[in-house]
Amino acid sequence: MQESTANQVAGNATSSFTEHLQRDRPDLLPYNRSLPAATAGATPLQVPHATTIVAMSYGGGVLMAGDRRATMGNMIASRHIEKVFPADRYSVLGIAGTAGIAIDLTRLFQVELEHYEKIEGTLLSLDGKANRLGAMIRGNLPMALQGLAVVPLFAGFDTTAGVGRLFSYDVTGGRYEEREHHTVGSGSVFARGALKKLWRPGLTEAEAVSVAVEALYDAADDDSATGGPDPVRQLWPVVYTVNRDGARRIPESELAAVAGRIIEVRSAERREA
């Protein structure tokens, strides 16, 4: 009996862990959940939402950063949430939208890439990773139509081409490659305005980190759902860089120094906006 089951599993083997779940255990997928039917006059479902993510290319790679605030309506649900995660050694993922589903989708994507590498004995190409993430987002479309949308950013280092690349998505799973920088989330319009002024081709890694923190600072200045650097609580954005050496999380000590310089300059200039 055990041998028969093992043979059946081997016969159904696929390089896609998501396809395996969809076929054998669809109930375990983060977006295969049923919600109670809404009744007239009922209060809309309130769940934590992750907000602003910024990403950009720099000389030698790509960078992604996210603030630490999650909101639930007009309330702060968390000041400590992390919204940027390593997908594998050469890619990172930033989440915006319904926090619970986004985090589950991120974990599934991480397992998807690890599973592919174990089955195939090689890393999935960056385009392949971007396409698989798009398929997962498309699978969440029924939940998105009920107000539980997930819209991530994806970035990685293309080891074949030797360049960093950045991808954005819509709720239908549509994939779009961004050439310079991009933002998502409630504070994205303000962060994007900052990036247009601060970003330039050939930034060093240190300069890119400073630009990302300042863009998030500007977003927090005008968007109540975005949390800025918090020296009192010692809370700083989550920032990852990805280059030919792989993904690296920027230490909080570096981020504290960068945020301190930004605050010092703005305080000295007595800036109102």
Side-chain angles (χ1 to χ4, degrees), residues 236-247:
W236 318 107
V238 175
V239 183
Y240 276 88
T241 58
V242 192
N243 54 37
R244 66 177 62 257
D245 295 322

Side-chain angles (χ1 to χ4, degrees), residues 102-246:
I103 292 172
D104 279 354
L105 189 144
T106 297
R107 290 170 178 160
L108 177 60
F109 186 55
Q110 290 169 331
V111 174
E112 174 83 2
L113 300 185
E114 183 178 354
H115 178 80
Y116 180 92
E117 184 177 356
K118 287 180 177 178
I119 295 295
E120 299 294 337
T122 186
L123 289 173
L124 185 62
S125 69
L126 192 64
D127 280 306
K129 297 171 192 177
N131 289 336
R132 294 212 175 181
L133 180 57
M136 290 183 184
I137 298 167
R138 190 178 308 114
N140 189 59
L141 185 56
M143 300 288 278
L145 294 175
Q146 297 180 70
L148 302 179
V150 175
V151 184
L153 276 178
F154 178 65
F157 188 81
D158 190 326
T159 55
T160 302
V163 296
R165 298 168 65 191
L166 168 64
F167 302 90
S168 65
Y169 298 85
D170 60 35
V171 293
T172 68
R175 188 202 85 168
Y176 313 97
E177 185 163 1
E178 308 295 340
R179 298 297 179 183
E180 298 175 347
H181 51 74
H182 197 69
T183 64
V184 294
S186 62
S188 61
V189 64
F190 308 111
R192 190 173 304 171
L195 288 176
K196 286 182 177 180
K197 302 294 184 183
L198 298 171
W199 183 91
R200 68 178 188 276
L203 289 170
T204 66
E205 180 179 292
E207 290 171 335
V209 170
S210 181
V211 167
V213 173
E214 188 155 6
L216 288 173
Y217 192 103
D218 282 349
D221 214 25
D222 289 298
D223 174 48
S224 61
T226 303
D230 190 338
V232 174
R233 297 182 177 88
Q234 292 291 293
L235 290 175
W236 318 107
V238 175
V239 183
Y240 276 88
T241 58
V242 192
N243 54 37
R244 66 177 62 257
D245 295 322

Side-chain angles (χ1 to χ4, degrees), residues 4 32 58 102 144 181 190 208 258:
S4 175
N32 279 354
Y58 69 90
H181 51 74
F190 308 111
V258 170

